[in-house]
Amino acid sequence: EVREQYTAVSGRQFLAGLAQREQRNPQFDFLKPTHMLFSYFTSLVDAYSKVLTPTDVQRVFGEDGQDPKKVLARVVQRYEWNRQAEEKKAQAKAADDEKERLYQSVDWHEFVVVETIEFPD
């Protein structure tokens, strides 16, 4: 794991240099693209790169996380959004329940066929 993390931080140039330097070392055979563990190694490097290299959005949130007032404002904003989403969901469920109640209140057995209309072909 340490190799993968260091490669993720140092970049692909480090990986190429390491593979060149250790090409005769059997412990580093996984650095060769033909080795069966090469894809596993590169997937770990990619995963660590995503985690260890923050995006612009992560940097902004990281900076906002240092100010307690900004954190509290984001928490309140998220709470309000969740509350509104729950209210909308409850209103939609109430409307569906009312619709179902009205549908169930109709006595469908009391309907009688009064006339049949036939259309000529």
Side-chain angles (χ1 to χ4, degrees):
E1 288 185 5
V2 175
R3 286 182 301 265
E4 291 86 356
Q5 290 176 1
Y6 193 78
T7 303
V9 172
S10 300
R12 297 290 177 173
Q13 295 82 12
F14 169 75
L15 178 61
L18 181 64
Q20 182 67 27
R21 189 178 67 228
E22 300 293 341
Q23 68 185 10
R24 299 207 193 303
N25 188 346
Q27 289 181 338
F28 288 89
D29 278 348
F30 64 90
L31 294 175
K32 297 176 183 173
T34 56
H35 195 272
M36 65 181 195
L37 293 177
F38 180 76
S39 62
Y40 177 68
F41 173 75
T42 54
S43 66
L44 285 177
V45 169
D46 292 341
Y48 281 124
S49 295
K50 289 178 184 174
V51 171
L52 296 175
T53 307
T55 62
D56 293 336
V57 174
Q58 290 170 334
R59 284 189 195 100
V60 169
F61 284 130
E63 293 167 3
D64 285 351
Q66 302 301 321
D67 184 11
K69 290 180 181 179
K70 288 183 179 179
V71 171
L72 183 60
R74 296 258 318 139
V75 168
V76 169
Q77 179 185 14
R78 181 62 184 197
Y79 172 76
E80 288 296 322
W81 185 86
N82 284 341
R83 186 182 57 76
Q84 289 174 357
E86 288 295 325
E87 284 178 5
K88 286 179 184 178
K89 191 185 296 184
Q91 288 173 354
K93 184 172 178 0
D96 288 345
D97 290 347
E98 179 64 18
K99 194 175 185 181
E100 180 68 23
R101 187 190 66 76
L102 290 173
Y103 182 77
Q104 294 296 331
S105 67
V106 174
D107 186 9
W108 295 103
H109 296 290
E110 289 187 10
F111 283 94
V112 177
V113 177
V114 177
E115 182 179 347
T116 304
I117 301 174
E118 294 186 22
F119 296 101
D121 292 333

